[in-house]
Amino acid sequence: MSYIGRFAPSPTGPLHFGSLLTAVASYCDTKANHGKWLVRIEDTDIPRIYPNSETHILSCIDAFQFEPDAEIIFQKDRLAIYEQVLDQLKQQHAIYACQCTRKMLGSNHIYAGTCRDLNLDFAEQAIRLKVDDLLICFEDRLQGRQCSNLKDDLGDFVLKRRDGIISYQLAVVVDDYLQGITHVVRGADLLDNTARQIWLGSILNYPSLSYMHLPLAMNGQGQKLSKQNLAQALDVSKASELLQQAILALGQPNVELNQPRIMLQQAVQQWDVNLIPKGIHLTGSYL
């Protein structure tokens, strides 16, 4: 099977070291398997887009000398496609309108199906996907076998919010399919999203994907590096040094300091998934 991988950052803040780990791992794994590497900007949550973060993402792609094998796409330009898929799911009776607010749901994170059989009008309501009482399992290349029963763990979940925002779950599944993605390499913070995406993909009759969830870089307070935790933005003037640090954090053999393009070529030649640290978190702290 041909390999098509991707790096799909969200512009809710600047890229940080954890983002770089994902970019390096997805790039090296793709190129070591003679595949194509794509970049997608996941910006459907338009109100949360951080000013100039898309510009920073693109400048990082250039500064670290990653070379995407196709034009970079932006999800905010593809909203009509997601609406078409929602129409398809509606025809399949796989989704329904939900009038429940966060206040009504309270602290219970498992949706009880309150609106499932009410046949509410779809206008100005959240749209939920029906889930079955079914164990969904997949073999993660790094984290091992993972299983989840969505009915017990989550309940019917939202594909489109009341305010019209398309959910990450819908957009990522549709775009992975349309871009022909075969292998997903991303952070372990997205591990619990995978069963949802597998379920939605199965309803749409999309092919199954290979998954590898990377251990997360942590800060000095033991928190994962994230935009919410104010992780430091990547300094593109230190691209070579940061790239070397990321390669070592992924357990890979050292590469000589050089132009990022040369370093990436060396990292691809030496790439060994078996050397990536196991588990959800990396040891040590990163800015």
Side-chain angles (χ1 to χ4, degrees), residues 35-255:
K36 294 181 179 180
W37 186 74
L38 311 182
V39 174
R40 179 173 74 226
I41 309 300
E42 299 196 328
D43 53 359
T44 57
D45 197 349
I46 296 171
R48 292 184 62 226
I49 294 177
Y50 190 81
N52 300 317
S53 57
E54 292 189 355
T55 301
H56 180 256
I57 290 171
L58 298 178
S59 68
C60 286
I61 297 295
D62 289 339
F64 287 89
Q65 298 181 351
F66 292 107
E67 297 179 346
D69 292 306
E71 182 180 357
I72 296 173
I73 69 169
F74 295 77
Q75 287 185 331
K76 68 174 181 290
D77 299 330
R78 301 165 64 80
L79 301 181
I81 295 174
Y82 311 136
E83 292 291 347
Q84 291 172 0
V85 175
L86 284 172
D87 287 341
Q88 176 185 342
L89 291 167
K90 186 176 181 180
Q91 294 298 318
Q92 294 177 233
H93 304 288
I95 56 176
Y96 61 92
C98 174
Q99 64 185 355
C100 297
T101 64
R102 288 187 178 182
K103 184 177 180 180
M104 292 167 61
L105 294 174
S107 60
N108 186 8
H109 70 282
I110 302 175
Y111 185 68
T114 308
C115 297
R116 188 186 249 224
D117 299 318
L118 297 185
N119 296 316
L120 299 171
D121 189 272
F122 276 64
E124 299 182 5
Q125 304 285 13
I127 307 301
R128 289 185 181 269
L129 179 70
K130 298 175 182 176
V131 301
D132 288 348
D133 186 1
L134 176 72
L135 194 64
I136 297 173
C137 296
F138 66 98
E139 193 69 31
D140 189 273
R141 293 170 59 203
L142 196 60
Q143 305 297 338
R145 187 168 178 80
Q146 306 288 319
C147 293
S148 175
N149 185 319
L150 291 174
K151 184 176 184 297
D152 294 338
D153 297 340
L154 182 71
D156 301 336
F157 59 93
V158 173
L159 295 184
K160 183 180 180 182
R161 294 185 343 207
R162 181 189 301 272
D163 60 6
I165 297 296
I166 296 293
S167 81
Y168 162 75
Q169 309 298 345
L170 175 62
V172 71
V173 169
V174 171
D175 281 336
D176 279 347
Y177 169 68
L178 292 177
Q179 291 190 285
I181 302 300
T182 59
H183 291 70
V184 174
V185 177
R186 59 189 182 187
D189 53 333
L190 294 171
L191 192 58
D192 63 358
N193 287 263
T194 308
R196 278 175 268 184
Q197 294 163 16
I198 290 172
W199 174 246
L200 174 57
S202 70
I203 291 174
L204 293 167
N205 201 30
Y206 292 169
S208 58
L209 306 180
S210 168
Y211 292 95
M212 181 165 70
H213 289 84
L214 304 166
L216 304 173
M218 312 297 284
N219 63 21
Q221 289 73 48
Q223 303 167 317
K224 72 166 186 174
L225 293 187
S226 69
K227 295 146 190 170
Q228 290 79 11
N229 292 328
L230 304 179
Q232 185 176 357
L234 290 172
D235 182 350
V236 295
S237 71
K238 299 178 180 178
S240 294
E241 292 83 357
L242 288 168
L243 185 55
Q244 185 182 54
Q245 186 181 5
I247 290 166
L248 291 174
L250 289 165
Q252 303 301 301
N254 189 28
V255 298

